[in-house]
Amino acid sequence: MENDTGYDGDVEDGRCWLCPLCGNEYENEAAAYLRDWCIFNACFPNNLKVKSLSSLKPAHAPHPSTPITPAFTFRFIAILLVFYFVMVGTRNVAFAEESAEVELLRAQAEKQRDFNKRLLGTLGRVSELGNSLKLELGPVYNDTQSLQTVTDNAGRLLNELQKQTRPLEGKADEERTIRDGPAVVGVQNYLASLKRAEDKLSNLKSTNFRVNQEAMSELGSLLSYGRQQLQSLFESLLQEDANAIEPLQFITKQLLFPGIPQSKISELAALDGFISANQFGTGHQDSLPSARLYADIRGSYLSSSLQNLASASISTSRKKSPEAIYRQGTSGIGTYANAIEGIFLAEWRNITLIFARDTWSTIFELTTRRAITEFSKTLRGLGAQIKSNITTDCFLAYEIIGIVNLLAIRMDSQTGQLKQQLIDAVKPVRDTAKASIGELLDDIRRRMGAMITIPNDGAALPLTTEVMSRLQTLVLYPQPLSSILTSLGDGNWSSSASANGSTASLPSTKSFDVGADGNQLLAHYVTDTIEMLLSNLESLAKRLTRSKAVHGVFMANNVAIVDRMIRSSEIQSLFNSTSTPNKVEVWRKKATGTYLDAWREPCAALMDVQYTNRGARPPSGSNAIDSAAIVKGLNSKDKDALKEKFKSFNLSFEALSAKHKEMSQSMEREVRSQLARDIQAMIEPLYARFWDRYHEVDKGRGKYVRYDKGSLSAQLSSMG
């Protein structure tokens, strides 16, 4: 049987051959042989392998045993021999091939060494050639580099020239827009055009080329013209709302003072932002040009709007009667101050909406300067008027100081401005007010010293009522008076030097009392004034009358008026709040004592002498007194003395009673009742005792004993 390998063999039907190498079973011996060749091919290189034996088929079924025949043994040995010889031959062939390859590599290495030698020689010749070329071409290269640098510089110069000439592009369009004016092209477009022209001018200035001088001059003139146009527009917008108003209308209706309309605020703010930048290159150094325009126009508006109130403040402060004391609120200065506050705050709101924050204070001060000057002028006029009638109009000075001080505080709290200007404006009035503190005391001294008589009936002086009216009006101005008295110092007003301008400002230790309380100082001043008034009245009474009754009634009446006017005004609350002692009660007791001194004469007639060593002691108690027994025990001399005492009492009592009734018409109501009670308390007990003991000396005839106890009591009671 023939197969793919060229071998043939018999295949016995139904038998399988076991391969001794791989252990696989094959259908016949030929298949096993071919399998051995497959193993052989797997063990040798590709050039020695046997080609495909894929036609062989593996055994389909294993058999339990495979017989080993001589043929199989022979073939197996033959395969081993063939395998050996093949391996030996193959190894020799491989060695031969490797030797040939080594020889080839050696030959190639030799060629490479020769090539390297030739290459090194060539490199040497090339290097020599390069050095010679470098020496010959070096100057040419350097000249080429210089030319390249010049070329680059020329390119850059051309580019720079193009940049410098670029700002002149569109100059005609900007000039046409600027010449047309903001009214034609619109404010925003006009400002944008000016900004572009300004940028062009800045770029031209940075070049510093002479060829651009003419263009720079033209742009500068154009921008100057544009600036004038903006200022004219700014001025016209402000003039539209600069008509004077009537402040009294807004004050009485409690309305806010008008400002610039909101529709114009944005335009004015934009115009100011460009005008105030001052970057036009015109050489002008006018700082804040728009601010000065605003201050001139709006300042005139403020001044003219307040002019009527300034005149009204002067006219309403004039008195019809020279002796009349100024009444609080009569002058129009309060309305004037309210108008200043309202219109100034409206102007402050305008300024904060239009101008930059760092310029607010400057512009506000410039704008209000004219109105503040007019206000200061008005206050100086009022100060001169007050000085001419200082004792009656000093209260107007106190009112002005209080109003202006509050105005300055409110303005400072809301704007942070004008406090010092307002304080400076009121300074002349304040100096007059300080002088009035001492002048009021000196006026009392002068008028007291000029008096040559007092009322015969002991009536109070009109000066007392006038002085107390002053004090009642004085305490209505606690705030300004507290500041004035604090600056003078406690007690410094008592000297007449405080009224003199040359010495009023001289400091004293009391003026440096940092703990001084304004209300306490005011209470001290009022107390000192009252004390000085009553002291001068006392001296006047002593100097002009010898009658103690007149003296006492005179002082009692004046003290009663003082006490009544204290209790009916704010003076009492001032004393209560400051714990200042009321010294009026001391003067009241002193006046009563002076008057009762005149009644000591009838009281002296009721005094008797009792001798306890001349008989039994008189029984105590009125019920046990027996007048008849007492009189019976007296000798005739004692009886005559008692009759003389009753007679003396009657004459003195009736004379004093008549004088009292005469003066009671001029007595103050509380003085009349108080003196009657004091006289009764003084006379009635003495007379009752004396009458109980000695009324029988008259034996009821009424010649000496004219009054019994009941009639005397009725007589005394009728005095009140």
Side-chain angles (χ1 to χ4, degrees):
M1 183 174 180
E2 192 174 348
N3 52 43
D4 294 338
T5 61
Y7 292 95
D8 56 356
D10 296 330
V11 178
E12 296 181 4
D13 296 335
R15 298 186 63 186
C16 292
W17 298 90
L18 179 64
C19 179
L21 294 177
C22 62
N24 292 329
E25 294 180 353
Y26 297 91
E27 294 179 354
N28 48 42
E29 185 178 3
Y33 180 74
L34 291 175
R35 178 58 180 172
D36 295 338
W37 274 105
C38 289
I39 294 172
F40 175 79
N41 285 334
C43 297
F44 288 92
N46 292 334
N47 57 347
L48 300 177
K49 290 180 181 180
V50 181
K51 294 184 179 180
S52 176
L53 297 176
S54 60
S55 59
L56 297 178
K57 297 180 181 179
H60 294 285
H63 293 277
S65 63
T66 301
I68 300 176
T69 60
F72 173 77
T73 303
F74 174 76
R75 289 173 181 165
F76 180 72
I77 295 172
I79 290 172
L80 292 176
L81 291 175
V82 170
F83 178 76
Y84 172 76
F85 286 116
V86 168
M87 292 296 292
V88 172
T90 301
R91 186 162 48 249
N92 291 335
V93 171
F95 289 159
E97 290 178 355
E98 291 176 356
S99 297
E101 289 177 358
V102 169
E103 291 298 329
L104 180 60
L105 290 174
R106 288 177 178 173
Q108 290 178 349
E110 188 64 27
K111 291 180 180 181
Q112 186 66 35
R113 283 194 292 272
D114 293 341
F115 176 75
N116 289 340
K117 290 179 180 179
R118 291 195 299 271
L119 183 60
L120 290 174
T122 302
L123 288 175
R125 290 190 296 272
V126 170
S127 177
E128 293 176 358
L129 180 61
N131 291 333
S132 62
L133 289 175
K134 182 177 181 181
L135 293 175
E136 294 177 0
L137 297 178
V140 177
Y141 175 77
N142 293 335
D143 292 342
T144 303
Q145 288 291 102
S146 299
L147 292 174
Q148 184 63 40
T149 302
V150 172
T151 302
D152 294 341
N153 291 339
R156 285 194 293 270
L157 179 61
L158 290 175
N159 293 334
E160 191 65 27
L161 289 174
Q162 290 177 357
K163 290 181 180 179
Q164 303 307 325
T165 56
R166 195 173 301 160
L168 297 177
E169 298 175 0
K171 175 177 172 293
D173 295 336
E174 305 300 348
E175 183 175 6
R176 183 169 54 255
T177 301
I178 294 173
R179 296 293 180 187
D180 288 342
V184 177
V185 301
V187 175
Q188 297 300 327
N189 293 334
Y190 196 79
L191 292 177
S193 179
L194 285 175
K195 181 61 178 174
R196 291 192 295 270
E198 181 184 339
D199 294 339
K200 294 179 186 297
L201 180 59
S202 299
N203 292 333
L204 289 176
K205 284 183 177 181
S206 63
T207 61
N208 201 23
F209 291 159
R210 292 184 179 180
V211 295
N212 291 335
Q213 293 299 321
E214 183 177 357
M216 290 168 58
S217 178
E218 293 177 358
L219 279 175
S221 300
L222 185 63
L223 288 171
S224 179
Y225 175 80
R227 182 185 183 187
Q228 294 175 0
Q229 291 293 313
L230 291 180
Q231 291 180 358
S232 299
L233 178 60
F234 190 85
E235 183 177 2
S236 64
L237 289 175
L238 290 176
Q239 290 287 3
E240 293 176 2
D241 299 287
N243 296 326
I245 62 173
E246 182 52 54
L248 193 60
Q249 177 182 357
F250 297 91
I251 294 174
T252 55
K253 295 181 180 180
Q254 297 183 350
L255 300 175
L256 289 177
F257 280 76
I260 298 175
Q262 190 64 34
S263 58
K264 296 180 182 178
I265 290 292
S266 57
E267 289 188 22
L268 290 172
L271 292 173
D272 168 71
F274 199 84
I275 294 173
S276 299
N278 199 21
Q279 297 177 351
F280 297 92
T282 59
H284 295 292
Q285 299 299 323
D286 185 20
S287 61
L288 300 177
S290 58
R292 296 189 179 278
L293 278 174
Y294 184 93
D296 291 340
I297 296 172
R298 299 299 293 181
S300 177
Y301 156 78
L302 295 178
S303 179
S304 59
S305 297
L306 296 171
Q307 182 62 45
N308 291 337
L309 289 179
S311 301
S313 298
I314 297 291
S315 62
T316 55
S317 299
R318 295 193 182 99
K319 298 184 302 179
K320 296 181 180 180
S321 174
E323 300 300 326
I325 295 178
Y326 173 79
R327 290 186 297 107
Q328 188 177 30
T330 303
S331 174
I333 189 65
T335 304
Y336 189 13
N338 291 335
I340 287 177
E341 180 181 4
I343 202 168
F344 278 16
L345 290 179
E347 208 58 41
W348 174 258
R349 289 191 292 270
N350 292 337
I351 291 172
T352 56
L353 293 174
I354 294 175
F355 298 98
R357 185 180 186 88
D358 56 346
T359 62
W360 289 354
S361 59
T362 302
I363 298 172
F364 188 55
E365 192 273 332
L366 290 174
T367 305
T368 58
R369 181 178 295 173
R370 189 180 305 178
I372 291 293
T373 302
E374 187 65 29
F375 184 60
S376 301
K377 181 180 177 181
T378 302
L379 293 182
R380 285 196 299 272
L382 291 174
Q385 177 180 322
I386 294 168
K387 189 175 290 186
S388 62
N389 301 280
I390 193 167
T391 57
T392 57
D393 288 353
C394 60
F395 310 104
L396 174 58
Y398 307 149
E399 183 177 55
I400 292 173
I401 293 171
I403 290 172
V404 177
N405 284 347
L406 290 177
L407 174 62
I409 292 172
R410 290 195 298 267
M411 290 300 299
D412 183 64
S413 64
Q414 297 186 63
T415 66
Q417 307 297 324
L418 301 185
K419 182 177 181 180
Q420 189 59 46
Q421 289 89 328
L422 292 172
I423 292 176
D424 293 340
V426 81
K427 187 176 185 300
V429 178
R430 182 178 178 86
D431 292 340
T432 303
K434 289 177 67 175
S436 71
I437 298 298
E439 183 63 28
L440 291 175
L441 299 176
D442 288 345
D443 179 68
I444 297 173
R445 297 188 188 97
R446 285 194 301 267
R447 294 175 67 176
M448 287 286 187
M451 290 183 180
I452 59 176
T453 184
I454 62 173
N456 293 328
D457 57 0
L461 292 179
L463 178 60
T464 301
T465 303
E466 183 180 340
V467 171
M468 292 308 299
S469 296
R470 290 180 188 173
L471 294 179
Q472 285 182 333
T473 308
L474 193 75
V475 296
L476 298 178
Y477 307 96
Q479 187 272 331
L481 280 169
S482 296
S483 64
I484 293 172
L485 295 175
T486 301
S487 64
L488 288 175
D490 193 1
N492 287 347
W493 52 76
S494 61
S495 173
S496 60
S498 63
N500 300 327
S502 60
T503 58
S505 59
L506 295 177
S508 67
T509 56
K510 293 182 178 180
S511 64
F512 294 102
D513 183 8
V514 295
D517 177 75
N519 288 336
Q520 189 76 29
L521 292 177
L522 180 57
H524 289 176
Y525 177 75
V526 172
T527 301
D528 289 352
T529 303
I530 295 173
E531 184 73 18
M532 192 197 71
L533 172 65
L534 297 177
S535 298
N536 281 270
L537 289 172
E538 178 76 9
S539 300
L540 185 66
K542 289 180 179 180
R543 179 166 56 89
L544 298 179
T545 183
R546 294 182 178 180
S547 172
K548 291 192 175 184
V550 175
H551 183 174
V553 171
F554 175 76
M555 289 303 300
N557 283 333
N558 284 285
V559 170
I561 291 175
V562 169
D563 186 63
R564 185 193 313 136
M565 297 187 75
I566 287 175
R567 297 180 186 278
S568 62
S569 66
E570 295 296 325
I571 300 177
Q572 184 65 44
S573 61
L574 179 67
F575 286 163
N576 294 337
S577 63
T578 58
S579 301
T580 300
N582 191 348
K583 299 180 180 180
V584 177
E585 183 63 23
V586 177
W587 282 100
R588 188 191 65 77
K589 291 180 179 180
K590 186 176 182 180
T592 302
T594 301
Y595 180 74
L596 292 179
D597 284 344
W599 287 82
R600 294 187 184 278
E601 184 178 350
C603 290
L606 300 176
M607 299 297 178
D608 63 336
V609 179
Q610 296 181 12
Y611 299 94
T612 58
N613 60 351
R614 293 183 181 179
R617 182 178 180 179
S620 61
S622 59
N623 294 331
I625 296 176
D626 185 358
S627 177
I630 294 174
V631 171
K632 186 178 180 181
L634 298 175
N635 57 34
S636 59
K637 184 178 179 180
D638 292 336
K639 291 178 182 180
D640 292 340
L642 288 174
K643 293 176 183 179
E644 190 63 30
K645 284 182 177 290
F646 274 108
K647 183 179 179 180
S648 176
F649 171 81
N650 294 334
L651 292 175
S652 178
F653 178 76
E654 290 171 357
L656 289 174
S657 297
K659 185 68 174 178
H660 182 85
K661 289 181 180 180
E662 179 185 348
M663 291 189 300
S664 65
Q665 302 300 322
S666 62
M667 288 182 187
E668 299 296 325
R669 178 178 51 82
E670 56 267 40
V671 172
R672 185 166 55 249
S673 60
Q674 182 63 44
L675 289 179
R677 288 194 300 270
D678 291 340
I679 293 171
Q680 188 171 9
M682 181 180 180
I683 298 295
E684 188 173 11
L686 291 175
Y687 188 81
R689 172 191 170 280
F690 197 80
W691 186 88
D692 286 339
R693 291 181 63 82
Y694 306 113
H695 67 275
E696 286 296 331
V697 74
D698 195 32
K699 299 185 182 299
R701 294 192 297 268
K703 181 179 179 180
Y704 300 105
V705 183
R706 295 181 184 178
Y707 307 99
D708 59 13
K709 292 190 293 184
S711 61
L712 182 70
S713 178
Q715 180 76 9
L716 292 173
S717 299
S718 65
M719 290 182 179

